[in-house]
Amino acid sequence: MNQQTADFGLIGLAVMGQNLVLNMADHGYQIAVFNRTAAKVEEFLQGPAKGKKVQGAHTIEELISQLKRPRKVMLMVKAGAPVDELIDHIAPLLEPGDIIIDGGNSHFPDSQRRYEALKEKKILFLGAGISGGEEGARHGPSIMPGGNPDAWKEVKELLQAISAKSEEGEPCCDWVGEGGAGHYVKMVHNGIEYGDMQLICEAYDLLHRGAGIPLEELHNIFTEWNKTELDSYLIEITSQIFTKKEEKNQKQFLLENILDVAGQKGTGKWTVMDALEKGMPVTLIAEAVFARNLSSLKEERVELSKTFSEEKKTLSLDKKAFIEKVRKGLYTAKMLSYTQGFMLMRKASEELKWNLNYGSIALMWRGGCIIRSKFLGKIKEAFTKNKELKSLLLDDYFHKEIQNSVEGLRESIRQGVSLGIPLPCFSAALAFFDGYRSEKLPANLIQAQRDFFGAHTYERIHQPRGKFFHTNWTGTGGDVSSSSYNA
């Protein structure tokens, strides 16, 4: 193999890595590949990559020697220690101006740390969140690059070429921000994905278990929903899931034989933990994570279902009207979930000085990724009209849409409570909305309680914000107050 012939190097030939390589090769790039298990390289070259512009390497050193300068290497390996180990191996082989791209699902503080460490060595780092799964990687994913802006200039053309495109032909890949910004936005994307999936599951549960609608009919309902404001990848695949039969028994639906215990890889939890750190009420994603936790308690749930069995209740609404209420409820909850997600990103951007472009982020999510939907176009429009928009609920379009559909959310929850159907994310969405739109909340009593037992002080309505007071509630507590701080 001639030296320095490859435009790009990729390490890690699992499903995502292989499909990204094939995607790059389809766009005219010469790609060098390496995998820790050497046999996998040969299998790939003789199999899916045969006849394409792909060359193999048996060692990392050989891979680096095949790359044109500035050398560009993408890591598609398991997040955590494996990424650090690879960077430690690769960095000494590179020169100033060479680029390392982490395309895995890394936690954003790790990307921030790697960016800073490599910057000292004059090596350019990108943390690129990639969404879309196997199909997206092969035919066009959503890519969220952050890190060193000098690296972005060198790889922009390639990454935008292989990314998904919006209906208007714009690439679903754009610069996010410095440091760990790319992986932060991917983390929030995944958190929103958790919420979207749980909301859809709650709508399914309401209609199937609550209203007794069979799976074949649910397929038709969701197919119709996908022609409305709910048009999205997740609604589309859900409609297909409802009609999938068992291969060996075509009378049985596969869904009915799948155990109701949900797995997770941690990105939803990361979103919730970060929201807690930043003091942002990302309640719907939190409930989606806890719903997966609750599903894992299968044996206990089975036992309690026998102990707390109740007489089956019946739906108190006309079925057709109920289906429309659930559709509107799902749509409202979805809008409120995205409102929370963008509020969290705004807070992170302010704290970390990333200057995130929210309209651009919405565009990046319009195609290729798991949460891709028609609805995201409206979010892009909202931020295009007002870059400083503090909340989607302050945008005229979303204000009007929620006003018109929130009753569907209320009615869905009323029916769910009556039928004994758990709706953690529907309920969290409504509680957030009712709290967020309330001029007055009962937090005044919390402050009084805190001051009573711990002299934590409080602010007064007719006094400037930031001026704190303490009351000697019992007459025996004294006038000394605790210092004021926010944890």
Side-chain angles (χ1 to χ4, degrees):
M1 177 63 63
N2 294 329
Q3 298 295 296
Q4 300 177 6
T5 56
D7 301 303
F8 199 86
L10 187 139
I11 299 174
L13 292 175
V15 172
M16 287 289 286
Q18 287 195 22
N19 282 303
L20 283 170
V21 169
L22 296 174
N23 188 350
M24 292 174 195
D26 285 348
H27 284 84
Y29 294 96
Q30 183 76 34
I31 311 299
V33 299
F34 170 79
N35 194 79
R36 186 175 58 180
T37 308
K40 203 160 192 175
V41 175
E42 292 306 316
E43 288 171 16
F44 181 55
L45 293 176
Q46 297 305 316
K50 191 168 185 178
K52 294 187 179 289
K53 298 176 75 173
V54 182
Q55 59 199 57
H58 295 94
T59 65
I60 289 175
E61 288 76 9
E62 184 184 353
L63 177 92
I64 300 300
S65 74
Q66 294 176 8
L67 301 177
K68 297 175 186 174
R69 287 179 170 78
R71 291 169 288 199
K72 309 167 192 73
V73 189
M74 177 177 273
L75 315 182
M76 292 300 297
V77 298
K78 187 178 178 182
V83 178
D84 286 319
E85 289 165 11
L86 257 181
I87 289 175
D88 288 344
H89 190 153
I90 294 168
L93 307 174
L94 300 179
E95 298 172 355
D98 287 344
I99 299 164
I100 295 176
I101 305 166
D102 175 14
N105 243 350
S106 289
H107 199 191
F108 80 93
D110 290 337
S111 295
Q112 183 72 32
R113 169 176 54 80
R114 291 161 186 153
Y115 156 76
E116 290 168 357
L118 288 168
K119 192 175 182 180
E120 288 183 7
K121 299 175 182 178
K122 295 185 169 49
I123 294 170
L124 311 181
F125 175 81
L126 280 184
I130 300 176
S131 178
E134 179 181 351
E135 180 189 342
R138 182 66 186 87
H139 301 292
S142 170
I143 306 176
M144 296 152 254
N148 195 308
D150 291 333
W152 170 239
K153 293 171 191 171
E154 294 291 339
V155 299
K156 176 181 178 179
E157 183 182 294
L158 183 150
L159 293 183
Q160 290 192 334
I162 68 168
S163 73
K165 307 297 183 290
S166 70
E167 290 175 359
E168 297 74 32
E170 297 173 277
C172 297
C173 169
D174 203 355
W175 179 243
V176 175
E178 292 199 31
H183 274 130
Y184 187 90
V185 169
K186 175 58 166 44
M187 176 192 77
V188 176
H189 164 282
N190 284 25
I192 290 172
E193 179 185 311
Y194 272 58
D196 269 1
M197 293 170 73
Q198 178 63 28
L199 286 170
I200 291 169
C201 289
E202 290 175 20
Y204 150 70
D205 205 18
L206 262 178
L207 297 176
H208 186 54
R209 190 157 60 103
I213 298 174
L215 293 181
E216 301 102 313
E217 192 175 340
L218 284 178
H219 163 76
N220 297 329
I221 290 168
F222 273 65
T223 299
E224 288 304 309
W225 283 5
N226 205 42
K227 298 172 185 174
T228 70
E229 304 93 337
L230 290 173
D231 176 356
S232 67
Y233 173 71
L234 283 170
I235 291 289
E236 179 188 337
I237 67 167
T238 301
S239 71
Q240 295 173 25
I241 287 167
F242 288 142
T243 54
K244 183 68 174 176
K245 300 283 185 69
E246 290 279 10
E247 288 185 12
K248 294 182 180 178
N249 183 353
Q250 287 294 303
K251 291 183 179 179
Q252 278 201 319
F253 290 101
L254 175 59
L255 184 59
E256 292 176 338
N257 290 328
I258 295 177
L259 187 69
D260 57 325
V261 174
Q264 54 186 315
K265 290 190 173 180
T267 45
K269 180 176 73 174
W270 290 346
T271 308
V272 175
M273 290 169 67
D274 186 69
L276 287 168
E277 286 290 332
K278 291 182 171 54
M280 297 306 292
V282 183
T283 53
L284 194 145
I285 296 171
E287 287 295 345
V289 173
F290 288 133
R292 294 194 188 193
N293 296 149
L294 185 61
S295 77
S296 70
L297 305 177
K298 176 66 176 178
E299 288 73 22
E300 293 169 47
R301 289 192 289 114
V302 170
E303 186 177 350
L304 288 167
S305 71
K306 296 168 184 172
T307 308
F308 288 100
S309 60
E310 296 178 0
E311 182 182 341
K312 183 169 174 54
K313 307 278 187 13
T314 56
L315 185 67
S316 60
L317 268 183
D318 169 74
K319 188 175 86 168
K320 185 176 179 182
F322 181 57
I323 291 169
E324 179 59 11
K325 292 287 187 186
V326 174
R327 186 189 72 81
K328 285 188 172 181
L330 176 57
Y331 179 45
T332 306
K334 183 183 174 81
M335 287 188 279
L336 292 167
S337 178
Y338 281 70
T339 297
Q340 292 183 359
F342 276 85
M343 285 167 65
L344 177 59
M345 287 190 288
R346 174 171 287 281
K347 183 71 170 179
S349 184
E350 289 170 356
E351 286 190 0
L352 299 165
K353 297 178 172 53
W354 280 339
N355 194 29
L356 297 182
N357 183 330
Y358 309 106
S360 175
I361 290 167
L363 173 64
M364 279 186 266
W365 293 350
R366 279 285 281 118
C369 68
I370 303 303
I371 65 170
R372 61 185 182 265
S373 66
K374 182 179 180 182
F375 164 84
L376 282 156
K378 295 297 183 182
I379 296 179
K380 182 182 185 299
E381 287 176 19
F383 285 109
T384 299
K385 281 190 295 181
N386 181 5
K387 289 182 181 179
E388 303 305 317
L389 186 67
K390 291 182 179 179
S391 166
L392 287 175
L393 300 193
L394 295 171
D395 176 74
D396 289 343
Y397 173 83
F398 286 101
H399 180 273
K400 179 176 161 230
E401 289 295 286
I402 286 180
Q403 288 277 61
N404 291 339
S405 60
V406 71
E407 185 53 37
L409 181 58
R410 294 191 191 282
E411 188 57 51
S412 296
I413 293 168
R414 276 194 284 266
Q415 292 294 329
V417 170
S418 173
L419 295 166
I421 302 288
L423 301 171
C425 283
F426 270 55
S427 302
L430 185 60
F432 166 75
F433 174 67
D434 284 338
Y436 198 25
R437 70 185 183 88
S438 291
E439 182 181 352
K440 191 172 178 72
L441 290 170
N444 55 333
L445 179 55
I446 290 174
Q447 286 301 87
Q449 291 167 335
R450 293 177 73 241
D451 191 53
F452 190 111
F453 64 68
H456 291 297
T457 74
Y458 54 85
E459 294 171 278
R460 295 184 67 94
I461 290 173
H462 300 298
Q463 295 290 334
R465 289 298 310 272
K467 186 176 180 181
F468 293 88
F469 298 84
H470 167 59
T471 292
N472 182 350
W473 295 89
T474 62
T476 58
D479 296 321
V480 178
S481 62
S482 172
S483 59
S484 180
Y485 63 91
N486 288 313

